[in-house]
Amino acid sequence: KTASKATATLINPDSSDLQATETLSNALGLTSRCMFFNVVLDKAGLSPASFDLITCISVLEHIPQDKAAVEIMWSLLRPGGKLILTV
């Protein structure tokens, strides 16, 4: 069986929350496969059509420009990519 090459890009403008996520990632031995951005989504400098999967779990309702955020997420997905949202 081939080892997974999956990576994660984690974006959170709340630095203390992001630090807790990074600490957990390190404890699980996953930090080398993760990139952490302490910015809002539109400031992360991510390339369009570069993600197979984007999740936004219980965050969208806290973003004043929620429609713009969803549009950015859609633009970041590759063709056939999945966007999973919860509110």
Side-chain angles (χ1 to χ4, degrees), residues 25-39:
S25 171
N26 189 43
L28 295 170
L30 298 173
T31 302
S32 66
R33 295 173 41 190
C34 298
M35 292 182 3
F36 300 90
F37 292 88
N38 182 218
V39 296

Side-chain angles (χ1 to χ4, degrees), residues 1-9 30 32-35 50 52 78:
K1 187 174 179 179
T2 304
S4 174
K5 301 283 184 186
T7 60
T9 301
L30 298 173
S32 66
R33 295 173 41 190
C34 298
M35 292 182 3
S50 59
D52 295 313
R78 290 186 178 113

Side-chain angles (χ1 to χ4, degrees), residues 17-82:
D17 190 49
L18 186 65
Q19 180 59 46
T21 303
E22 194 166 354
T23 299
L24 178 60
S25 171
N26 189 43
L28 295 170
L30 298 173
T31 302
S32 66
R33 295 173 41 190
C34 298
M35 292 182 3
F36 300 90
F37 292 88
N38 182 218
V39 296
V40 293
L41 181 59
D42 62 343
K43 304 295 184 208
L46 302 170
S47 299
S50 59
F51 290 88
D52 295 313
L53 172 67
I54 296 175
T55 62
C56 181
I57 309 300
S58 297
V59 173
L60 198 57
E61 66 271 21
H62 303 286
I63 300 173
Q65 290 78 27
D66 55 353
K67 183 179 178 197
V70 171
E71 289 172 355
I72 292 169
M73 287 184 261
W74 275 120
S75 75
L76 293 171
L77 287 172
R78 290 186 178 113
K82 306 289 186 217

